[in-house]
Amino acid sequence: ASTLLDETIILDNVEIESSESVNHTLEIDTIDQPVSVALHIKSDVDSNIDTSNQSPSQRPTVEQFVVSPDGLVINKNQLSEHTQRDLLTTFKPETEGIYTLTLSNLGTERVTVEGLFGFLPISVEDGQVNLDAVMGVAAGAIIFIIGAITLVAGTIIAILDRKRSRNVARHTFDWGR
């Protein structure tokens, strides 16, 4: 969690007006890990409105690209409200330095972007997902649930056993007279 919070830019409801761009920078100190860009776009246009007759330039579209410290575009994608509204992509940084994520609204309506830019412990190169980091947490949660069930079952058995031993003791005492 600390890696996620310290080395990741969280994009929370970033609003981009038509024909405008927003930049976010990330300083990369190590080139050992892949950098991820995870985005979700939504527009202010009512989703019930049929936009199939609109030209592509009128539809809510966001272009995403990452520029390296050398000034080279190393990652570029387009997202649209009606084609691909979610994106998870990774790239391996070649050099240390400041990388810039630029989000440009190519459509005619304002869009809102949510997502992450940085190191995600579950992502590896080529956009693959590695769940090894999450498996430890999942295993711990399963063991915790099994322990809670065992505790409840043990308590119920202890209560039933105690009631049974009282009844046996009372009948034994009556027999002893």
Side-chain angles (χ1 to χ4, degrees), residues 16 41 60-64 77-79 103-106 111 113:
I16 309 171
I41 68 163
T61 303
V62 173
E63 183 178 56
Q64 163 273 319
N77 295 287
Q78 269 194 1
L79 294 104
L103 303 171
S104 300
N105 184 351
L106 304 178
V111 295
V113 178

Side-chain angles (χ1 to χ4, degrees), residues 35-48:
V35 177
S36 299
V37 178
L39 300 174
H40 171 75
I41 68 163
K42 54 186 176 181
S43 70
D44 294 340
V45 177
D46 184 0
S47 60
N48 297 328

Side-chain angles (χ1 to χ4, degrees), residues 52-83:
S52 60
N53 59 356
Q54 291 179 336
S55 70
S57 64
Q58 292 175 316
R59 294 181 188 157
T61 303
V62 173
E63 183 178 56
Q64 163 273 319
F65 57 93
V66 178
V67 178
S68 70
D70 305 330
L72 302 171
V73 175
I74 56 172
N75 186 285
K76 184 175 182 179
N77 295 287
Q78 269 194 1
L79 294 104
S80 174
E81 177 80 11
H82 302 286
T83 56

Side-chain angles (χ1 to χ4, degrees), residues 97-156:
I98 295 178
Y99 285 74
T100 304
L101 169 69
T102 301
L103 303 171
S104 300
N105 184 351
L106 304 178
T108 58
E109 302 290 329
R110 177 177 55 184
V111 295
T112 303
V113 178
E114 298 172 337
L116 301 168
F117 173 45
F119 297 112
L120 294 178
I122 64 167
S123 67
V124 293
E125 231 176 318
D126 300 330
Q128 299 296 320
V129 176
N130 180 4
L131 296 178
D132 290 344
V134 180
M135 294 307 287
V137 174
I142 290 170
I143 290 171
F144 177 78
I145 291 169
I146 291 171
I149 291 170
T150 304
L151 179 66
V152 169
T155 302
I156 291 171

Side-chain angles (χ1 to χ4, degrees), residues 6-53:
D6 294 341
E7 300 175 355
T8 302
I9 306 287
I10 298 175
L11 308 170
D12 184 29
N13 290 323
V14 176
E15 293 184 355
I16 309 171
E17 295 295 331
S18 174
S19 302
E20 290 188 6
S21 297
V22 175
N23 293 324
H24 293 279
T25 59
L26 177 68
E27 185 170 355
I28 296 179
D29 297 331
T30 177
I31 59 173
D32 297 343
Q33 303 175 22
V35 177
S36 299
V37 178
L39 300 174
H40 171 75
I41 68 163
K42 54 186 176 181
S43 70
D44 294 340
V45 177
D46 184 0
S47 60
N48 297 328
I49 296 174
D50 182 21
T51 58
S52 60
N53 59 356

